[in-house]
């Protein structure tokens, strides 16, 4: 997260930012990150207020930040700020200092994606699962596939001037 002063200095030069919203629990931030949740939320709100395009990423770690109630609260926070903010829910793989947890089940990512969509988010993506349907962008208005991805590659686009070719709805980003 950034202090208000740092954001004031860097903000005029930022067009976009991807922010890790690691959890929606202050306990998680304190125990896992040695930090606090509120400054992260404040940075997200401040960047949005400044007109910076933001995307949020949550690495779902089994047993630590993947409880459905917490994911519902997190998705609600994003939706209330702006339902067009993309939320990336990514698969955890045990490594380095956190090897006592298994990899995130893909079903957990799918559940988080459904929770985000139920909260009204237009764009919820699954990460670290190449080939998953959740990598793709769908029009939030007509549900047409507008960007098909595989991993980091774009396979197909159905956009014209940033709009869905089927219904003409603007697609964020």
């Amino acid at each position: 997260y950034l202090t208000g002063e740092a954001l004031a200095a860097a903000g005029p030069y930022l067009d976009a930012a991807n922010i890790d919203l690691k959890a929606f629990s202050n306990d998680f931030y304190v125990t896992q990150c040695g930090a606090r949740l509120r400054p992260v939320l404040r940075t997200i709100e401040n960047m949005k207020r400044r007109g910076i395009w933001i995307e949020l990423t949550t690495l779902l770690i089994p047993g630590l930040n993947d409880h459905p109630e917490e994911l519902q609260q997190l998705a609600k926070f994003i939706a209330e700020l702006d339902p067009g903010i993309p939320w990336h829910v990514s698969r955890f793989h045990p490594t380095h200092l956190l090897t006592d947890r298994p990899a995130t089940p893909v079903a957990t990512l799918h559940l988080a994606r459904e929770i985000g969509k139920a909260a009204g988010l237009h764009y919820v993506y699954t990460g670290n699962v190449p080939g998953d349907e959740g990598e793709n962008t769908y029009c939030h208005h007509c549900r047409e596939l507008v960007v098909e991805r595989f991993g980091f590659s774009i396979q197909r686009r159905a956009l014209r001037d940033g709009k869905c070719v089927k219904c003409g709805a603007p697609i964020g980003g």
Side-chain angles (χ1 to χ4, degrees):
Y1 55 84
L2 297 174
T3 64
E5 296 82 8
L7 183 56
Y13 306 101
L14 288 176
D15 293 318
N18 185 304
I19 303 167
D20 280 0
L21 180 52
K22 296 182 183 293
F24 210 69
S25 156
N26 196 58
D27 288 343
F28 178 95
Y29 270 89
V30 170
T31 59
Q32 300 299 318
C33 309
R36 293 173 292 121
L37 172 61
R38 186 65 208 138
V40 176
L41 299 180
R42 196 168 32 248
T43 296
I44 292 166
E45 293 164 341
N46 287 338
M47 283 190 173
K48 179 64 183 162
R49 212 175 357 265
R50 287 178 168 273
I52 298 168
W53 173 263
I54 55 174
E55 300 198 15
L56 304 176
T57 299
T58 306
L59 181 69
L60 296 182
I61 305 170
L64 292 181
N65 67 346
D66 64 343
H67 193 276
E69 285 180 10
E70 182 176 347
L71 297 174
Q72 288 168 344
Q73 292 170 348
L74 196 158
K76 181 180 179 213
F77 165 79
I78 300 169
E80 286 177 353
L81 189 58
D82 179 351
I85 294 172
W87 182 32
H88 302 264
V89 290
S90 295
R91 189 175 192 203
F92 165 82
H93 296 280
T95 188
H96 192 50
L97 298 177
L98 200 54
T99 57
D100 64 334
R101 306 277 167 172
T104 310
V106 174
T108 301
L109 298 177
H110 292 165
L111 175 62
R113 186 165 181 256
E114 290 306 314
I115 287 170
K117 289 172 18 182
L121 297 178
H122 297 174
Y123 311 106
V124 185
Y125 298 101
T126 55
N128 297 336
V129 186
D132 192 76
E133 177 186 51
E135 289 187 308
N136 301 321
T137 300
Y138 295 86
C139 175
H140 64 277
H141 182 70
C142 73
R143 303 292 175 219
E144 182 76 10
L145 176 64
V146 293
V147 180
E148 182 179 9
R149 297 178 184 84
F150 187 91
F152 294 109
S153 299
I154 293 176
Q155 305 297 305
R156 179 173 77 91
R157 285 179 214 171
L159 296 168
R160 186 176 308 121
D161 299 323
K163 297 177 180 168
C164 173
V165 295
K166 182 176 180 185
C167 74
I171 303 300

